[in-house]
Amino acid sequence: KDRDRFFGRMYSYFPEGVRPDVRECVRIANRVVGAYVRGQLFLGLVIFLITLIGLQLMGIEFAIGLAVVAGFTELIPIIGPLIPLVVATLVGATISPAAAAAAFVVFAILQQIEANIVAPRVEGKALALHPALVLAVLILGLEIAGLVGALFATLFTSIILISGQYAFRRASGLIDPPP
């Protein structure tokens, strides 16, 4: 009920003729945000599984716990994937220097795979963006607004692109106005 009142009030600020298009753009943004959240959760699950398999193959103790940390911290942009690298190296150091080195190598490799292959593809597919564009807007977002910019860069880019496509198709008469 509050949601309906909020959106009804928000829409009232727009001229009557464009309100259906504004509603459609809000629906587009809602779909994109949902896809983004699902993509991030899927990415965390993929990183959890890859980490678990990699650590178990290396015979590293606490593989499940470290994989859980890797999956959850994947949701933190830029620094998230580095956190399990540090934690795993410290845990490995309590066992032996060789275990610390093995944990560091495994997580360094996993972080490179995640940052350069898995994350751009998963985010790109979830948000309908090319993986190269995902990397470019992440870097741009980081440069402009730091970690917050990196966190929302792909989400905002997707909303802008999809809303722009909608506006172009509406202006060109390729689609009918929404009800």
Side-chain angles (χ1 to χ4, degrees):
K1 190 169 185 174
D2 288 338
R3 179 180 184 210
D4 294 338
R5 229 178 339 164
F6 169 78
F7 281 110
R9 177 94 171 162
M10 183 186 80
Y11 296 140
S12 72
Y13 292 112
F14 292 94
E16 191 80 32
V18 298
R19 286 182 192 168
D21 291 313
V22 172
R23 281 189 190 93
E24 186 61 25
C25 286
V26 169
R27 276 194 282 275
I28 288 168
N30 190 31
R31 280 194 312 266
V32 169
V33 169
Y36 177 78
V37 170
R38 284 188 302 278
Q40 290 300 107
L41 292 173
F42 179 72
L43 183 58
L45 177 65
V46 167
I47 295 304
F48 164 78
L49 292 172
I50 291 172
T51 303
L52 181 63
I53 292 167
L55 292 177
Q56 286 185 331
L57 289 175
M58 295 287 293
I60 295 175
E61 293 185 46
F62 310 113
I64 293 175
L66 292 171
V68 168
V69 169
F72 277 119
T73 59
E74 181 61 34
L75 303 176
I76 304 169
I78 311 300
I79 63 168
L82 299 175
I83 295 170
L85 182 139
V86 172
V87 171
T89 303
L90 292 174
V91 169
T94 65
I95 299 166
S96 72
F104 180 84
V105 167
V106 166
F107 274 96
I109 291 169
L110 287 174
Q111 199 279 329
Q112 290 301 311
I113 292 170
E114 179 273 337
N116 296 308
I117 299 170
V118 179
R121 288 179 189 261
V122 170
E123 282 191 33
K125 186 155 178 76
L127 297 176
L129 299 174
H130 191 278
L133 181 59
V134 170
L135 287 173
V137 297
L138 280 174
I139 293 168
L140 186 63
L142 183 63
E143 285 296 316
I144 292 172
L147 288 177
V148 174
L151 178 62
F152 294 110
T154 55
L155 180 62
F156 288 149
T157 301
S158 185
I159 290 171
I160 290 167
L161 287 175
I162 294 172
S163 295
Q165 290 170 351
Y166 168 78
F168 176 78
R169 289 193 308 261
R170 275 284 291 125
S172 301
L174 298 174
I175 57 174
D176 294 328

